PDB file of all heavy atoms in Angstrom:
ATOM      1  N   THR F   1      52.041 150.879 129.366  1.00 67.00           N
ATOM      2  CA  THR F   1      51.651 151.886 130.363  1.00 67.00           C
ATOM      3  C   THR F   1      52.163 153.266 129.980  1.00 67.00           C
ATOM      4  O   THR F   1      51.442 154.265 130.075  1.00 67.00           O
ATOM      5  CB  THR F   1      52.198 151.515 131.751  1.00 67.00           C
ATOM      6  OG1 THR F   1      51.741 150.210 132.109  1.00 67.00           O
ATOM      7  CG2 THR F   1      51.736 152.506 132.804  1.00 67.00           C
ATOM      8  N   LEU F   2      53.408 153.320 129.508  1.00 72.00           N
ATOM      9  CA  LEU F   2      53.975 154.606 129.102  1.00 72.00           C
ATOM     10  C   LEU F   2      53.259 155.159 127.879  1.00 72.00           C
ATOM     11  O   LEU F   2      53.024 156.364 127.777  1.00 72.00           O
ATOM     12  CB  LEU F   2      55.471 154.456 128.813  1.00 72.00           C
ATOM     13  CG  LEU F   2      56.387 154.310 130.028  1.00 72.00           C
ATOM     14  CD1 LEU F   2      57.818 154.118 129.582  1.00 72.00           C
ATOM     15  CD2 LEU F   2      56.286 155.534 130.922  1.00 72.00           C
ATOM     16  N   LYS F   3      52.894 154.281 126.961  1.00 74.00           N
ATOM     17  CA  LYS F   3      52.201 154.721 125.749  1.00 74.00           C
ATOM     18  C   LYS F   3      50.873 155.389 126.096  1.00 74.00           C
ATOM     19  O   LYS F   3      50.472 156.378 125.477  1.00 74.00           O
ATOM     20  CB  LYS F   3      51.960 153.542 124.814  1.00 74.00           C
ATOM     21  CG  LYS F   3      53.189 153.064 124.058  1.00 74.00           C
ATOM     22  CD  LYS F   3      52.837 151.942 123.110  1.00 74.00           C
ATOM     23  CE  LYS F   3      54.081 151.473 122.343  1.00 74.00           C
ATOM     24  NZ  LYS F   3      53.761 150.352 121.410  1.00 74.00           N
ATOM     25  N   LYS F   4      50.184 154.846 127.119  1.00 75.00           N
ATOM     26  CA  LYS F   4      48.888 155.402 127.509  1.00 75.00           C
ATOM     27  C   LYS F   4      49.026 156.793 128.124  1.00 75.00           C
ATOM     28  O   LYS F   4      48.075 157.571 128.148  1.00 75.00           O
ATOM     29  CB  LYS F   4      48.204 154.462 128.500  1.00 75.00           C
ATOM     30  CG  LYS F   4      47.728 153.163 127.873  1.00 75.00           C
ATOM     31  CD  LYS F   4      47.057 152.268 128.915  1.00 75.00           C
ATOM     32  CE  LYS F   4      46.593 150.956 128.293  1.00 75.00           C
ATOM     33  NZ  LYS F   4      45.957 150.075 129.302  1.00 75.00           N
ATOM     34  N   LEU F   5      50.216 157.092 128.637  1.00 80.00           N
ATOM     35  CA  LEU F   5      50.447 158.411 129.234  1.00 80.00           C
ATOM     36  C   LEU F   5      50.750 159.486 128.196  1.00 80.00           C
ATOM     37  O   LEU F   5      50.726 160.672 128.505  1.00 80.00           O
ATOM     38  CB  LEU F   5      51.608 158.333 130.235  1.00 80.00           C
ATOM     39  CG  LEU F   5      51.388 157.476 131.486  1.00 80.00           C
ATOM     40  CD1 LEU F   5      52.680 157.399 132.300  1.00 80.00           C
ATOM     41  CD2 LEU F   5      50.270 158.052 132.347  1.00 80.00           C
ATOM     42  N   CYS F   6      51.045 159.063 126.983  1.00 86.00           N
ATOM     43  CA  CYS F   6      51.459 160.008 125.945  1.00 86.00           C
ATOM     44  C   CYS F   6      50.269 160.591 125.188  1.00 86.00           C
ATOM     45  O   CYS F   6      49.222 159.958 125.040  1.00 86.00           O
ATOM     46  CB  CYS F   6      52.397 159.327 124.953  1.00 86.00           C
ATOM     47  SG  CYS F   6      53.973 158.844 125.658  1.00 86.00           S
ATOM     48  N   VAL F   7      50.435 161.816 124.723  1.00 86.00           N
ATOM     49  CA  VAL F   7      49.450 162.463 123.847  1.00 86.00           C
ATOM     50  C   VAL F   7      50.152 162.861 122.561  1.00 86.00           C
ATOM     51  O   VAL F   7      51.359 163.128 122.556  1.00 86.00           O
ATOM     52  CB  VAL F   7      48.830 163.707 124.525  1.00 86.00           C
ATOM     53  CG1 VAL F   7      47.991 163.308 125.718  1.00 86.00           C
ATOM     54  CG2 VAL F   7      49.910 164.695 124.948  1.00 86.00           C
ATOM     55  N   LYS F   8      49.409 162.868 121.472  1.00 85.00           N
ATOM     56  CA  LYS F   8      49.998 163.172 120.172  1.00 85.00           C
ATOM     57  C   LYS F   8      49.974 164.684 119.931  1.00 85.00           C
ATOM     58  O   LYS F   8      49.034 165.227 119.342  1.00 85.00           O
ATOM     59  CB  LYS F   8      49.246 162.447 119.063  1.00 85.00           C
ATOM     60  CG  LYS F   8      49.404 160.927 119.129  1.00 85.00           C
ATOM     61  CD  LYS F   8      48.670 160.245 117.977  1.00 85.00           C
ATOM     62  CE  LYS F   8      48.851 158.731 118.036  1.00 85.00           C
ATOM     63  NZ  LYS F   8      48.141 158.042 116.922  1.00 85.00           N
ATOM     64  N   VAL F   9      50.998 165.352 120.434  1.00 82.00           N
ATOM     65  CA  VAL F   9      51.121 166.802 120.256  1.00 82.00           C
ATOM     66  C   VAL F   9      52.578 167.132 119.959  1.00 82.00           C
ATOM     67  O   VAL F   9      53.476 166.319 120.203  1.00 82.00           O
ATOM     68  CB  VAL F   9      50.663 167.577 121.513  1.00 82.00           C
ATOM     69  CG1 VAL F   9      49.189 167.386 121.771  1.00 82.00           C
ATOM     70  CG2 VAL F   9      51.483 167.157 122.729  1.00 82.00           C
ATOM     71  N   SER F  10      52.795 168.329 119.445  1.00 80.00           N
ATOM     72  CA  SER F  10      54.166 168.780 119.199  1.00 80.00           C
ATOM     73  C   SER F  10      54.766 169.318 120.492  1.00 80.00           C
ATOM     74  O   SER F  10      54.055 169.593 121.461  1.00 80.00           O
ATOM     75  CB  SER F  10      54.180 169.873 118.133  1.00 80.00           C
ATOM     76  OG  SER F  10      53.622 171.074 118.650  1.00 80.00           O
ATOM     77  N   LYS F  11      56.087 169.472 120.507  1.00 77.00           N
ATOM     78  CA  LYS F  11      56.759 169.976 121.707  1.00 77.00           C
ATOM     79  C   LYS F  11      56.411 171.437 121.988  1.00 77.00           C
ATOM     80  O   LYS F  11      56.637 171.927 123.092  1.00 77.00           O
ATOM     81  CB  LYS F  11      58.275 169.812 121.558  1.00 77.00           C
ATOM     82  CG  LYS F  11      58.741 168.370 121.644  1.00 77.00           C
ATOM     83  CD  LYS F  11      60.241 168.248 121.768  1.00 77.00           C
ATOM     84  CE  LYS F  11      60.944 168.616 120.474  1.00 77.00           C
ATOM     85  NZ  LYS F  11      62.408 168.360 120.557  1.00 77.00           N
ATOM     86  N   ASN F  12      55.855 172.143 121.008  1.00 78.00           N
ATOM     87  CA  ASN F  12      55.475 173.545 121.188  1.00 78.00           C
ATOM     88  C   ASN F  12      53.961 173.717 121.329  1.00 78.00           C
ATOM     89  O   ASN F  12      53.430 174.816 121.143  1.00 78.00           O
ATOM     90  CB  ASN F  12      55.972 174.384 120.011  1.00 78.00           C
ATOM     91  CG  ASN F  12      57.482 174.398 119.921  1.00 78.00           C
ATOM     92  OD1 ASN F  12      58.168 174.535 120.934  1.00 78.00           O
ATOM     93  ND2 ASN F  12      58.018 174.253 118.710  1.00 78.00           N
ATOM     94  N   ALA F  13      53.267 172.629 121.666  1.00 83.00           N
ATOM     95  CA  ALA F  13      51.800 172.662 121.725  1.00 83.00           C
ATOM     96  C   ALA F  13      51.296 173.600 122.819  1.00 83.00           C
ATOM     97  O   ALA F  13      51.983 173.860 123.812  1.00 83.00           O
ATOM     98  CB  ALA F  13      51.270 171.258 121.967  1.00 83.00           C
ATOM     99  N   ASP F  14      50.069 174.099 122.615  1.00 85.00           N
ATOM    100  CA  ASP F  14      49.453 174.915 123.661  1.00 85.00           C
ATOM    101  C   ASP F  14      48.642 174.011 124.589  1.00 85.00           C
ATOM    102  O   ASP F  14      48.464 172.814 124.343  1.00 85.00           O
ATOM    103  CB  ASP F  14      48.585 176.020 123.066  1.00 85.00           C
ATOM    104  CG  ASP F  14      47.453 175.501 122.185  1.00 85.00           C
ATOM    105  OD1 ASP F  14      47.110 174.307 122.281  1.00 85.00           O
ATOM    106  OD2 ASP F  14      46.908 176.287 121.402  1.00 85.00           O
ATOM    107  N   LEU F  15      48.158 174.593 125.675  1.00 89.00           N
ATOM    108  CA  LEU F  15      47.462 173.825 126.697  1.00 89.00           C
ATOM    109  C   LEU F  15      46.187 173.190 126.169  1.00 89.00           C
ATOM    110  O   LEU F  15      45.883 172.028 126.486  1.00 89.00           O
ATOM    111  CB  LEU F  15      47.146 174.732 127.893  1.00 89.00           C
ATOM    112  CG  LEU F  15      46.415 174.084 129.070  1.00 89.00           C
ATOM    113  CD1 LEU F  15      47.238 172.950 129.668  1.00 89.00           C
ATOM    114  CD2 LEU F  15      46.103 175.140 130.142  1.00 89.00           C
ATOM    115  N   LYS F  16      45.447 173.923 125.367  1.00 89.00           N
ATOM    116  CA  LYS F  16      44.181 173.404 124.843  1.00 89.00           C
ATOM    117  C   LYS F  16      44.415 172.146 124.015  1.00 89.00           C
ATOM    118  O   LYS F  16      43.675 171.157 124.144  1.00 89.00           O
ATOM    119  CB  LYS F  16      43.497 174.489 123.992  1.00 89.00           C
ATOM    120  CG  LYS F  16      42.097 174.122 123.516  1.00 89.00           C
ATOM    121  CD  LYS F  16      41.141 174.022 124.684  1.00 89.00           C
ATOM    122  CE  LYS F  16      39.720 173.774 124.186  1.00 89.00           C
ATOM    123  NZ  LYS F  16      38.845 173.308 125.267  1.00 89.00           N
ATOM    124  N   SER F  17      45.436 172.154 123.178  1.00 87.00           N
ATOM    125  CA  SER F  17      45.741 170.987 122.344  1.00 87.00           C
ATOM    126  C   SER F  17      46.112 169.786 123.207  1.00 87.00           C
ATOM    127  O   SER F  17      45.670 168.662 122.955  1.00 87.00           O
ATOM    128  CB  SER F  17      46.885 171.307 121.378  1.00 87.00           C
ATOM    129  OG  SER F  17      46.553 172.377 120.529  1.00 87.00           O
ATOM    130  N   CYS F  18      46.906 170.019 124.239  1.00 90.00           N
ATOM    131  CA  CYS F  18      47.329 168.929 125.121  1.00 90.00           C
ATOM    132  C   CYS F  18      46.141 168.317 125.851  1.00 90.00           C
ATOM    133  O   CYS F  18      46.022 167.088 125.963  1.00 90.00           O
ATOM    134  CB  CYS F  18      48.349 169.436 126.125  1.00 90.00           C
ATOM    135  SG  CYS F  18      49.941 169.914 125.403  1.00 90.00           S
ATOM    136  N   LEU F  19      45.257 169.171 126.355  1.00 92.00           N
ATOM    137  CA  LEU F  19      44.099 168.676 127.096  1.00 92.00           C
ATOM    138  C   LEU F  19      43.118 167.948 126.185  1.00 92.00           C
ATOM    139  O   LEU F  19      42.535 166.922 126.572  1.00 92.00           O
ATOM    140  CB  LEU F  19      43.402 169.830 127.815  1.00 92.00           C
ATOM    141  CG  LEU F  19      44.185 170.460 128.966  1.00 92.00           C
ATOM    142  CD1 LEU F  19      43.517 171.746 129.429  1.00 92.00           C
ATOM    143  CD2 LEU F  19      44.322 169.493 130.135  1.00 92.00           C
ATOM    144  N   ASP F  20      42.913 168.472 124.987  1.00 89.00           N
ATOM    145  CA  ASP F  20      41.987 167.819 124.047  1.00 89.00           C
ATOM    146  C   ASP F  20      42.466 166.417 123.656  1.00 89.00           C
ATOM    147  O   ASP F  20      41.663 165.552 123.308  1.00 89.00           O
ATOM    148  CB  ASP F  20      41.807 168.674 122.790  1.00 89.00           C
ATOM    149  CG  ASP F  20      40.909 169.891 123.035  1.00 89.00           C
ATOM    150  OD1 ASP F  20      40.211 169.900 124.072  1.00 89.00           O
ATOM    151  OD2 ASP F  20      40.912 170.817 122.203  1.00 89.00           O
ATOM    152  N   LYS F  21      43.776 166.195 123.714  1.00 89.00           N
ATOM    153  CA  LYS F  21      44.337 164.889 123.361  1.00 89.00           C
ATOM    154  C   LYS F  21      44.430 163.952 124.568  1.00 89.00           C
ATOM    155  O   LYS F  21      44.762 162.776 124.419  1.00 89.00           O
ATOM    156  CB  LYS F  21      45.735 165.070 122.765  1.00 89.00           C
ATOM    157  CG  LYS F  21      45.767 165.819 121.430  1.00 89.00           C
ATOM    158  CD  LYS F  21      45.190 164.976 120.312  1.00 89.00           C
ATOM    159  CE  LYS F  21      45.342 165.688 118.963  1.00 89.00           C
ATOM    160  NZ  LYS F  21      44.813 164.870 117.849  1.00 89.00           N
ATOM    161  N   THR F  22      44.145 164.469 125.756  1.00 90.00           N
ATOM    162  CA  THR F  22      44.230 163.661 126.977  1.00 90.00           C
ATOM    163  C   THR F  22      42.947 162.866 127.178  1.00 90.00           C
ATOM    164  O   THR F  22      41.839 163.375 126.940  1.00 90.00           O
ATOM    165  CB  THR F  22      44.475 164.569 128.205  1.00 90.00           C
ATOM    166  OG1 THR F  22      45.696 165.303 128.014  1.00 90.00           O
ATOM    167  CG2 THR F  22      44.585 163.757 129.487  1.00 90.00           C
ATOM    168  N   LEU F  23      43.077 161.618 127.621  1.00 89.00           N
ATOM    169  CA  LEU F  23      41.917 160.763 127.845  1.00 89.00           C
ATOM    170  C   LEU F  23      41.152 161.210 129.089  1.00 89.00           C
ATOM    171  O   LEU F  23      41.683 161.918 129.959  1.00 89.00           O
ATOM    172  CB  LEU F  23      42.364 159.303 128.007  1.00 89.00           C
ATOM    173  CG  LEU F  23      43.080 158.683 126.798  1.00 89.00           C
ATOM    174  CD1 LEU F  23      43.543 157.270 127.124  1.00 89.00           C
ATOM    175  CD2 LEU F  23      42.183 158.684 125.565  1.00 89.00           C
ATOM    176  N   LYS F  24      39.892 160.799 129.211  1.00 89.00           N
ATOM    177  CA  LYS F  24      39.028 161.217 130.317  1.00 89.00           C
ATOM    178  C   LYS F  24      39.641 160.953 131.699  1.00 89.00           C
ATOM    179  O   LYS F  24      39.612 161.836 132.562  1.00 89.00           O
ATOM    180  CB  LYS F  24      37.660 160.533 130.225  1.00 89.00           C
ATOM    181  CG  LYS F  24      36.736 161.152 129.186  1.00 89.00           C
ATOM    182  CD  LYS F  24      35.374 160.485 129.173  1.00 89.00           C
ATOM    183  CE  LYS F  24      34.569 160.837 130.404  1.00 89.00           C
ATOM    184  NZ  LYS F  24      33.166 160.340 130.328  1.00 89.00           N
ATOM    185  N   PRO F  25      40.211 159.765 131.945  1.00 87.00           N
ATOM    186  CA  PRO F  25      40.812 159.535 133.277  1.00 87.00           C
ATOM    187  C   PRO F  25      41.904 160.548 133.609  1.00 87.00           C
ATOM    188  O   PRO F  25      42.010 161.005 134.749  1.00 87.00           O
ATOM    189  CB  PRO F  25      41.384 158.115 133.164  1.00 87.00           C
ATOM    190  CG  PRO F  25      40.554 157.454 132.109  1.00 87.00           C
ATOM    191  CD  PRO F  25      40.267 158.536 131.116  1.00 87.00           C
ATOM    192  N   GLY F  26      42.707 160.906 132.605  1.00 88.00           N
ATOM    193  CA  GLY F  26      43.765 161.888 132.818  1.00 88.00           C
ATOM    194  C   GLY F  26      43.211 163.266 133.117  1.00 88.00           C
ATOM    195  O   GLY F  26      43.743 164.000 133.969  1.00 88.00           O
ATOM    196  N   LEU F  27      42.120 163.633 132.440  1.00 91.00           N
ATOM    197  CA  LEU F  27      41.491 164.933 132.681  1.00 91.00           C
ATOM    198  C   LEU F  27      40.911 165.003 134.092  1.00 91.00           C
ATOM    199  O   LEU F  27      40.999 166.035 134.768  1.00 91.00           O
ATOM    200  CB  LEU F  27      40.400 165.190 131.641  1.00 91.00           C
ATOM    201  CG  LEU F  27      40.874 165.365 130.193  1.00 91.00           C
ATOM    202  CD1 LEU F  27      39.683 165.393 129.246  1.00 91.00           C
ATOM    203  CD2 LEU F  27      41.687 166.649 130.047  1.00 91.00           C
ATOM    204  N   LYS F  28      40.323 163.898 134.539  1.00 90.00           N
ATOM    205  CA  LYS F  28      39.748 163.870 135.887  1.00 90.00           C
ATOM    206  C   LYS F  28      40.835 164.000 136.953  1.00 90.00           C
ATOM    207  O   LYS F  28      40.637 164.639 137.983  1.00 90.00           O
ATOM    208  CB  LYS F  28      38.959 162.572 136.086  1.00 90.00           C
ATOM    209  CG  LYS F  28      37.641 162.544 135.310  1.00 90.00           C
ATOM    210  CD  LYS F  28      36.872 161.251 135.560  1.00 90.00           C
ATOM    211  CE  LYS F  28      35.531 161.265 134.823  1.00 90.00           C
ATOM    212  NZ  LYS F  28      34.782 160.008 135.029  1.00 90.00           N
ATOM    213  N   ILE F  29      41.996 163.396 136.691  1.00 89.00           N
ATOM    214  CA  ILE F  29      43.117 163.512 137.629  1.00 89.00           C
ATOM    215  C   ILE F  29      43.560 164.968 137.758  1.00 89.00           C
ATOM    216  O   ILE F  29      43.817 165.474 138.854  1.00 89.00           O
ATOM    217  CB  ILE F  29      44.295 162.628 137.167  1.00 89.00           C
ATOM    218  CG1 ILE F  29      43.957 161.146 137.372  1.00 89.00           C
ATOM    219  CG2 ILE F  29      45.576 162.981 137.931  1.00 89.00           C
ATOM    220  CD1 ILE F  29      44.985 160.200 136.793  1.00 89.00           C
ATOM    221  N   ILE F  30      43.634 165.657 136.624  1.00 91.00           N
ATOM    222  CA  ILE F  30      44.029 167.073 136.636  1.00 91.00           C
ATOM    223  C   ILE F  30      43.019 167.911 137.425  1.00 91.00           C
ATOM    224  O   ILE F  30      43.391 168.718 138.282  1.00 91.00           O
ATOM    225  CB  ILE F  30      44.172 167.606 135.198  1.00 91.00           C
ATOM    226  CG1 ILE F  30      45.374 166.947 134.512  1.00 91.00           C
ATOM    227  CG2 ILE F  30      44.336 169.134 135.197  1.00 91.00           C
ATOM    228  CD1 ILE F  30      45.489 167.252 133.034  1.00 91.00           C
ATOM    229  N   LEU F  31      41.740 167.696 137.152  1.00 90.00           N
ATOM    230  CA  LEU F  31      40.706 168.462 137.849  1.00 90.00           C
ATOM    231  C   LEU F  31      40.709 168.149 139.341  1.00 90.00           C
ATOM    232  O   LEU F  31      40.555 169.049 140.179  1.00 90.00           O
ATOM    233  CB  LEU F  31      39.334 168.161 137.233  1.00 90.00           C
ATOM    234  CG  LEU F  31      39.111 168.737 135.832  1.00 90.00           C
ATOM    235  CD1 LEU F  31      37.851 168.162 135.213  1.00 90.00           C
ATOM    236  CD2 LEU F  31      39.011 170.258 135.884  1.00 90.00           C
ATOM    237  N   ASP F  32      40.900 166.882 139.694  1.00 87.00           N
ATOM    238  CA  ASP F  32      40.934 166.496 141.112  1.00 87.00           C
ATOM    239  C   ASP F  32      42.077 167.192 141.853  1.00 87.00           C
ATOM    240  O   ASP F  32      41.937 167.565 143.019  1.00 87.00           O
ATOM    241  CB  ASP F  32      41.099 164.978 141.241  1.00 87.00           C
ATOM    242  CG  ASP F  32      39.819 164.218 140.913  1.00 87.00           C
ATOM    243  OD1 ASP F  32      38.756 164.858 140.860  1.00 87.00           O
ATOM    244  OD2 ASP F  32      39.886 162.992 140.691  1.00 87.00           O
ATOM    245  N   SER F  33      43.208 167.374 141.170  1.00 85.00           N
ATOM    246  CA  SER F  33      44.363 167.991 141.826  1.00 85.00           C
ATOM    247  C   SER F  33      44.093 169.435 142.215  1.00 85.00           C
ATOM    248  O   SER F  33      44.734 169.980 143.117  1.00 85.00           O
ATOM    249  CB  SER F  33      45.600 167.922 140.915  1.00 85.00           C
ATOM    250  OG  SER F  33      45.500 168.837 139.844  1.00 85.00           O
ATOM    251  N   TYR F  34      43.130 170.079 141.539  1.00 84.00           N
ATOM    252  CA  TYR F  34      42.761 171.462 141.859  1.00 84.00           C
ATOM    253  C   TYR F  34      41.486 171.517 142.694  1.00 84.00           C
ATOM    254  O   TYR F  34      40.930 172.591 142.929  1.00 84.00           O
ATOM    255  CB  TYR F  34      42.567 172.271 140.580  1.00 84.00           C
ATOM    256  CG  TYR F  34      43.857 172.563 139.844  1.00 84.00           C
ATOM    257  CD1 TYR F  34      44.229 171.805 138.736  1.00 84.00           C
ATOM    258  CD2 TYR F  34      44.698 173.587 140.246  1.00 84.00           C
ATOM    259  CE1 TYR F  34      45.403 172.068 138.045  1.00 84.00           C
ATOM    260  CE2 TYR F  34      45.881 173.855 139.574  1.00 84.00           C
ATOM    261  CZ  TYR F  34      46.226 173.092 138.474  1.00 84.00           C
ATOM    262  OH  TYR F  34      47.400 173.360 137.793  1.00 84.00           O
ATOM    263  N   GLY F  35      41.006 170.341 143.107  1.00 84.00           N
ATOM    264  CA  GLY F  35      39.801 170.306 143.932  1.00 84.00           C
ATOM    265  C   GLY F  35      38.528 170.567 143.172  1.00 84.00           C
ATOM    266  O   GLY F  35      37.520 170.975 143.751  1.00 84.00           O
ATOM    267  N   VAL F  36      38.530 170.331 141.848  1.00 86.00           N
ATOM    268  CA  VAL F  36      37.352 170.556 141.020  1.00 86.00           C
ATOM    269  C   VAL F  36      36.659 169.220 140.762  1.00 86.00           C
ATOM    270  O   VAL F  36      37.267 168.287 140.236  1.00 86.00           O
ATOM    271  CB  VAL F  36      37.725 171.208 139.675  1.00 86.00           C
ATOM    272  CG1 VAL F  36      36.477 171.381 138.809  1.00 86.00           C
ATOM    273  CG2 VAL F  36      38.405 172.545 139.912  1.00 86.00           C
ATOM    274  N   ASN F  37      35.402 169.120 141.136  1.00 85.00           N
ATOM    275  CA  ASN F  37      34.643 167.896 140.937  1.00 85.00           C
ATOM    276  C   ASN F  37      33.666 168.047 139.782  1.00 85.00           C
ATOM    277  O   ASN F  37      32.965 169.056 139.686  1.00 85.00           O
ATOM    278  CB  ASN F  37      33.866 167.535 142.211  1.00 85.00           C
ATOM    279  CG  ASN F  37      34.780 167.240 143.380  1.00 85.00           C
ATOM    280  OD1 ASN F  37      35.768 166.533 143.225  1.00 85.00           O
ATOM    281  ND2 ASN F  37      34.456 167.790 144.546  1.00 85.00           N
ATOM    282  N   MET F  38      33.642 167.053 138.913  1.00 85.00           N
ATOM    283  CA  MET F  38      32.710 167.020 137.788  1.00 85.00           C
ATOM    284  C   MET F  38      31.846 165.774 137.915  1.00 85.00           C
ATOM    285  O   MET F  38      32.273 164.763 138.484  1.00 85.00           O
ATOM    286  CB  MET F  38      33.470 167.003 136.463  1.00 85.00           C
ATOM    287  CG  MET F  38      34.349 168.222 136.221  1.00 85.00           C
ATOM    288  SD  MET F  38      33.410 169.703 135.782  1.00 85.00           S
ATOM    289  CE  MET F  38      32.989 169.346 134.060  1.00 85.00           C
ATOM    290  N   THR F  39      30.637 165.833 137.382  1.00 85.00           N
ATOM    291  CA  THR F  39      29.750 164.674 137.451  1.00 85.00           C
ATOM    292  C   THR F  39      30.300 163.544 136.595  1.00 85.00           C
ATOM    293  O   THR F  39      31.024 163.773 135.614  1.00 85.00           O
ATOM    294  CB  THR F  39      28.345 165.039 136.943  1.00 85.00           C
ATOM    295  OG1 THR F  39      28.421 165.448 135.569  1.00 85.00           O
ATOM    296  CG2 THR F  39      27.762 166.191 137.774  1.00 85.00           C
ATOM    297  N   SER F  40      29.945 162.329 136.967  1.00 82.00           N
ATOM    298  CA  SER F  40      30.436 161.159 136.236  1.00 82.00           C
ATOM    299  C   SER F  40      29.907 161.132 134.805  1.00 82.00           C
ATOM    300  O   SER F  40      30.469 160.473 133.932  1.00 82.00           O
ATOM    301  CB  SER F  40      30.025 159.872 136.961  1.00 82.00           C
ATOM    302  OG  SER F  40      28.612 159.822 137.117  1.00 82.00           O
ATOM    303  N   SER F  41      28.821 161.871 134.564  1.00 86.00           N
ATOM    304  CA  SER F  41      28.230 161.881 133.224  1.00 86.00           C
ATOM    305  C   SER F  41      28.844 162.953 132.314  1.00 86.00           C
ATOM    306  O   SER F  41      28.462 163.067 131.144  1.00 86.00           O
ATOM    307  CB  SER F  41      26.715 162.112 133.326  1.00 86.00           C
ATOM    308  OG  SER F  41      26.453 163.368 133.942  1.00 86.00           O
ATOM    309  N   ALA F  42      29.785 163.740 132.850  1.00 87.00           N
ATOM    310  CA  ALA F  42      30.396 164.808 132.052  1.00 87.00           C
ATOM    311  C   ALA F  42      31.115 164.236 130.839  1.00 87.00           C
ATOM    312  O   ALA F  42      31.818 163.229 130.934  1.00 87.00           O
ATOM    313  CB  ALA F  42      31.381 165.600 132.914  1.00 87.00           C
ATOM    314  N   LYS F  43      30.929 164.879 129.706  1.00 89.00           N
ATOM    315  CA  LYS F  43      31.561 164.412 128.471  1.00 89.00           C
ATOM    316  C   LYS F  43      33.032 164.835 128.449  1.00 89.00           C
ATOM    317  O   LYS F  43      33.446 165.743 129.168  1.00 89.00           O
ATOM    318  CB  LYS F  43      30.835 164.987 127.266  1.00 89.00           C
ATOM    319  CG  LYS F  43      29.401 164.496 127.134  1.00 89.00           C
ATOM    320  CD  LYS F  43      28.713 165.105 125.924  1.00 89.00           C
ATOM    321  CE  LYS F  43      27.269 164.607 125.800  1.00 89.00           C
ATOM    322  NZ  LYS F  43      26.567 165.199 124.649  1.00 89.00           N
TER     323      LYS F  43
END
């Protein structure tokens, strides 16, 4: 479970790198927290 939460980035990574390495479920959680809804077909 912990391994699935990790992304392969350096400790000095920028936001774009972190997000690009995050899986789709994690990205949806982030967007949901800001009240942003995306279609289920979004890549």
Side-chain angles (χ1 to χ4, degrees):
T1 304
L2 286 178
K3 285 183 180 179
K4 290 180 181 179
L5 294 174
C6 294
V7 293
K8 293 182 179 180
V9 295
S10 71
K11 289 191 289 186
N12 296 317
D14 59 18
L15 180 61
K16 186 67 175 164
S17 300
C18 292
L19 292 169
D20 285 345
K21 295 289 185 179
T22 301
L23 299 176
K24 282 183 71 173
L27 294 171
K28 288 181 178 179
I29 289 173
I30 292 172
L31 289 169
D32 285 345
S33 73
Y34 289 100
V36 178
N37 297 315
M38 299 285 284
T39 61
S40 57
S41 61
K43 295 180 180 179

